[in-house]
Structure formats: C-alpha cells, structure tokens
C-alpha cells in the first residue's frame, strides 16, 4: 500500500508542526497556505513547562527556539498623565521561553520545507469524502485526492467551515479584539488602560499591542485596510499617548488584528478531516495557543502513525488525549485581565499584579494547564518509517500501511 497522502491547510504553527511529524512517520504531506509566503509578525508566543520543552526537543528545534528567545521583563502601568501606577511582573507577560511568532513559523517552515510539498497562495474550495479518500478542489491547483485532510488554518478555519459548518456555529466571540502593529513607540515596556481598552508599547514581546472591548465587528478577514479602520475607530478618543499611537496605525507595515474567541467543537474530526491548533481549540490569548498547537500536532501525528494511518482509530485517540489538555482554551479570556471594562477593575488588576507575594503563586496556578498531559513517546515510530523507506529504495511496496 502507498504512503497515505495527507493535505494540511495552513502553514503557521500547527500546520508545519503536524507536517514535520507526519513526514518523520512516513506520510506523504502537502501543505496549502493562503498567503503567498510564511506569514511573519505577531507578538512573542510563550512556551511553559516541561511538556512544551519536550515537544520542542523531540522536534530538534529547542536550540533554534532558544536562540530566538525574548527574555521576560517587568512592565509598568501608567495613568493618563504617564505617572507610574503599578508593575506587571515579567512572568505574567510570558513563559519560560518566548519566541516571536514569525521566527517560530520560519523555524518550523525551514524544518519541513524539503520534506513536505508546500503550495502558497492557494486555498481549498471543496472537500468531498468518498469511501477511499477526500476529493479536494483548490482555487488554483488542480483537484487531487488525499487520504486525510488536516485543518491547521487558524481560528477562522476554512477546513472547519467546509467539513463541519459555518464559523458562527463553533466560534464564540469573547467580547475583545487584539491588535499588533509595528509603530514607532520610543518607550520601554509601558502599559496604559482606559475602561475596555489597553495599549502596551515597547515590550520585548511586541512593539505595540492593543486590546479593546467590542461586540463582534463586521468580518474583515482579508481586508487589512478595513481592519485598520476598525482598530482606529475602537481606539480613538483616548488619553495618554493613544491619539498619537492610533494616528500611526493606518501607516503600519506590520499589522495583525483578530478577535479573542473560543472554538467549541463536540469532535475535532469529521470522517477523514481533522482539526488542530486554533481551528480546533480557539485563541483566548492566555499564552497557551501556540503550545497547544505544537502538542496537538505531535499527538495527532503520533496517533496516526501508531494506528498505521487508520484515521478513525487515530482521530479518536487524538481527541481523547488532547481534549482535557485543551480545556484551558475553554476557560481563559485574557481580554478581561488586559482591558478591564471599568475603572474599578483596572485599579484592582493593577493592585493584584503589584503585590509580588500574590503574583508569584498566581503565575504557578495560571501556568499549570501547560503541563496537564502525559506525553507518549512516539519517536520510535519514526524507525518504522525508515524501514518503510528502505523497502521503497529496494522497490518494495510498503506492506505495513493499513495492515
Ligand atoms: C500573522 C499572524 C499573527 C499572529 N499574531 C498573534 C499574536 O500576536 N498573539 C497571539 O496570541 N496569537 C497570534 N497569532 C495566532 C497564533 O499564531 C496561534 O494562536 C497559535 O500559534 C496556533 O497556531 P495555528 O497554526 O493553529 O493558527 P494560526 O497561527 O492562526 O495560523 C493559521 C494559518 O492558516 C492560514 N490560513 C487561513 N485560512 C486559510 C485558507 N483558507 N487556506 C490556507 N491557509 C489558510 C493562515 O494564513 C495562517 O498561516 C497570529 C497568527 C498569525 C497568522
């Protein structure tokens, strides 16, 4: 039997990570990404605790990730006059390892570029499952059939919409948006709040980062100009340095905006289609999304290898192992902490973080979910793949697949 053919949609974090493991286990992997190249940008993303550490190590990228590490630093909170009113402990702002999201995406892409087939600037337009596979059509690439399709295409997943149903059935807006923008800020790690709005500038994690409370805005997925306008509208009329920062937004070359949302699915798979990363678990901005995507990709690929490509069995095992771990994404809403909606809430939040005796233990409780899984070591299954590969060199077929 031939190596199972897997199509992955999305080449950010979860996509290249699952492609890496599937390649190691002998699957034939194609990755389709909507953007014309790997998307850089975004703030530094966090890795916390031994589980994240183990997965990075097993992937052989720990050193590269460490080399890109951005150390945590304490930030200060200021009032409208720029006067210091509190401190945000560095541990709160990040994990043990913090790597700019774009650097991580690039590391993962380089790790897989020679093994997986990458198609940039394209998108799946239909998925039709048959008894033997999934017939896939694309915007540009000719139609092909795959054994398995993986949606790693983020919170607004195209694969989820095609295989499960419309986004509004699965994604729940948590009342906040976040904005990353490459602005000239000229100050060190300062955070300013007004009810329902936060601006953080000069942090080691991102040049300018805003959070604002808002009802769901009209969709502006691929329309950056409209997203910028929405951000400007939501952040205008403020005090401190907000007017000057907001005036720069329309001209920012680096810009990313998204809602803080939760994805809630009864199952992560439907037939031969399965979801990983934000597409499955959402992104509530609590510093868990990227670690979740890497761990989820590892477990999904490992279970597919363990089941010799038998997708029904593998998807069930993946779901059973990951659901509890991903439960953190159902609980966190970092928007509430970053941009409390009342003056009283802001004062309380600042007091909380300025009390170091409280902040230390609180961090430990907050970070505990990152370690809440017993990781199986799937790496020996890569040896099985090597024997399949040498069988291929001899011209043999791969008798172990599906047997
Ligand atoms: C440019 C960018 C900046 C980000 N900045 C931050 C940040 O500052 N803070 C934060 O907490 N999180 C940020 N995120 C989200 C963060 O990367 C994820 O929460 C987490 O790393 C899990 O990653 P993921 O691979 O599941 O999803 P994502 O990182 O969201 O990646 C999804 C990928 O799928 C691609 N895609 C979308 N639709 C299609 C389609 N139809 N066909 C093919 N490909 C498609 C996207 O272009 C993207 O490359 C950002 C994501 C992106 C893409």
């Amino acid at each position: 039997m031939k190596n199972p053919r897997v199509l992955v949609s999305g080449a950010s974090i979860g996509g290249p990570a699952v492609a890496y493991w599937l390649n190691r286990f002998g699957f034939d992997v194609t990755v389709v990404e909507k953007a014309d190249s790997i998307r850089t940008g975004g703030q530094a993303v966090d890795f916390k605790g031994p589980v994240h550490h183990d997965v990075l190590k097993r992937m052989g990228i720990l050193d590269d990730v460490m080399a890109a590490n951005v150390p945590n630093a304490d930030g200060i909170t200021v009032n409208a006059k720029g006067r210091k009113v509190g401190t945000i402990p560095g541990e709160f702002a990040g994990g043990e390892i913090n790597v700019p999201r774009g650097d991580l995406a690039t590391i993962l892409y380089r790790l897989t570029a020679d093994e997986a087939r990458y198609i940039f600037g394209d998108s799946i337009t239909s998925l039709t499952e048959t008894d033997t596979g999934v017939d896939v059509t694309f915007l540009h690439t000719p139609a092909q059939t795959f054994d398995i399709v993986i949606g790693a295409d983020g919170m607004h997943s195209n694969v989820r919409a095609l295989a499960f149903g419309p986004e509004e059935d699965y994604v729940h807006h948590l009342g906040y948006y976040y904005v990353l923008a490459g602005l000239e800020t000229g100050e060190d790690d300062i955070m300013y709040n007004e009810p329902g709005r936060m601006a953080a500038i000069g942090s080691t994690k991102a040049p300018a980062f805003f959070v604002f409370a808002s009802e769901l805005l009209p969709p502006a997925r691929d329309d950056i100009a409209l997203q910028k306008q929405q951000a400007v509208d939501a952040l205008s009329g403020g005090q401190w340095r907000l007017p000057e920062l907001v005036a720069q937004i329309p001209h920012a070359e680096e810009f990313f905006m998204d809602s803080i949302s939760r994805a809630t699915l009864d199952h992560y798979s439907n037939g031969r289609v399965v979801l990983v990363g934000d597409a499955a678990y959402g992104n509530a901005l609590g510093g868990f999304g990227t670690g979740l995507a890497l761990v989820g990709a590892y477990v999904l690929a490992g279970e597919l290898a363990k089941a010799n490509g038998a997708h029904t069995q593998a998807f069930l095992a993946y779901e059973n192992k990951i659901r509890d771990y991903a439960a953190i994404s159902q609980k966190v809403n970092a928007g509430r902490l970053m941009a409390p909606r009342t003056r009283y809430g802001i004062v309380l939040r600042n007091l909380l973080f300025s009390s170091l005796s409280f902040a230390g233990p609180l961090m430990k409780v907050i970070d505990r979910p990152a370690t809440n899984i017993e990781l199986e070591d799937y790496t020996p299954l890569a040896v099985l793949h090597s024997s399949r590969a040498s069988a291929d060199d001899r011209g043999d077929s791969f008798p172990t697949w599906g047997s």
Side-chain angles (χ1 to χ4, degrees):
M1 191 183 277
K2 285 200 320 219
N3 295 28
R5 296 190 68 207
V6 181
L7 175 66
V8 179
S9 175
S12 172
I13 308 298
V18 80
Y20 167 77
W21 285 110
L22 288 172
N23 269 310
R24 279 199 63 185
F25 298 142
F27 292 76
D28 177 344
V29 185
T30 300
V31 183
V32 59
E33 163 61 47
K34 184 172 71 169
D36 291 336
S37 58
I38 291 293
R39 294 174 68 184
T40 53
Q43 61 179 332
V45 291
D46 315 350
F47 293 110
K48 306 167 185 204
V51 170
H52 293 173
H53 188 275
D54 276 3
V55 172
L56 293 171
K57 198 164 171 198
R58 286 177 194 177
M59 295 181 83
I61 56 170
L62 185 59
D63 288 347
D64 289 346
V65 167
M66 288 303 288
N69 180 43
V70 178
N72 286 318
D74 288 352
I76 64 166
T77 50
V78 296
N79 64 16
K81 296 198 167 82
R83 206 170 297 140
K84 178 177 171 179
V85 290
T87 305
I88 305 284
E91 310 94 282
F92 174 71
E96 283 107 63
I97 308 173
N98 312 291
V99 51
R101 196 209 66 88
D103 290 4
L104 180 64
T106 304
I107 290 169
L108 290 167
Y109 172 63
R110 288 198 183 128
L111 184 70
T112 49
D114 291 339
E115 310 290 333
R117 211 171 291 111
Y118 276 86
I119 304 170
F120 286 101
D122 208 349
S123 180
I124 299 169
T125 48
S126 75
L127 298 169
T128 309
E129 184 157 343
T130 65
D131 288 345
T132 52
V134 188
D135 297 337
V136 182
T137 59
F138 299 88
L139 271 177
H140 308 297
T141 307
Q144 297 177 46
T145 300
F146 294 87
D147 295 289
I148 288 164
V149 175
I150 299 178
D153 41 9
M155 175 85 80
H156 308 286
S157 170
N158 179 42
V159 167
R160 191 185 56 224
L162 292 171
F164 292 71
E167 176 164 325
E168 49 276 24
D169 291 353
Y170 300 102
V171 175
H172 306 282
H173 177 58
L174 296 178
Y176 291 88
Y177 282 79
Y178 69 100
V179 173
L180 269 301
L183 310 183
E184 291 300 323
T185 61
E187 285 200 67
D188 286 341
D189 225 339
I190 293 184
M191 179 168 150
Y192 168 70
N193 276 96
E194 291 176 358
R197 304 205 271 206
M198 183 212 77
I201 57 170
S203 147
T204 49
K205 293 197 76 184
F209 179 55
F210 304 91
V211 173
F212 60 85
S214 167
E215 296 306 312
L216 201 56
L217 296 168
R221 291 294 347 124
D222 296 316
D223 188 342
I224 301 294
L226 178 56
Q227 289 180 22
K228 284 181 171 176
Q229 191 54 54
Q230 290 175 335
V232 168
D233 292 346
L235 293 163
S236 287
Q239 297 184 53
W240 182 61
R241 292 184 53 196
L242 264 181
E244 163 232 328
L245 294 169
V246 171
Q248 291 187 50
I249 288 179
H251 316 291
E253 276 183 30
E254 187 190 331
F255 180 87
F256 182 81
M257 170 167 150
D258 207 345
S259 62
I260 300 182
S261 296
R262 181 173 292 152
T264 311
L265 288 104
D266 290 339
H267 298 288
Y268 298 145
S269 64
N270 185 4
R272 290 173 177 271
V273 181
V274 66
L275 305 174
V276 73
D278 284 4
Y281 332 123
N283 181 10
L285 216 66
F288 292 96
T290 302
L292 262 177
L294 280 196
V295 174
Y298 171 71
V299 173
L300 173 58
E303 290 301 329
L304 273 165
K306 216 167 115 182
N308 258 323
H311 64 275
T312 309
Q313 183 186 335
F315 293 170
L316 193 65
Y318 157 65
E319 181 154 337
N320 287 339
K321 291 190 171 172
I322 283 296
R323 190 168 284 283
D324 282 353
Y325 186 60
I328 181 66
S329 62
Q330 303 300 306
K331 294 178 187 147
V332 173
N333 177 3
R336 284 205 295 247
L337 201 61
M338 291 179 184
R341 287 174 188 256
T342 61
R343 291 202 182 280
Y344 175 72
I346 294 169
V347 170
L348 206 64
R349 194 277 318 274
N350 288 348
L351 273 175
L352 196 89
F353 284 118
S354 294
S355 160
L356 287 176
S357 57
F358 186 78
L362 178 67
M363 286 318 122
K364 289 200 172 63
V365 174
I366 287 176
D367 289 351
R368 206 176 285 156
T371 56
N372 184 28
I373 191 171
E374 197 77 43
L375 274 192
E376 191 168 332
D377 187 2
Y378 300 110
T379 51
L381 295 170
V383 176
L384 180 65
H385 165 55
S386 308
S387 58
R388 285 193 188 109
S390 45
D392 187 35
D393 290 343
R394 293 194 306 272
D396 301 348
S397 60
F398 299 159
T400 42
W401 280 121
S403 59

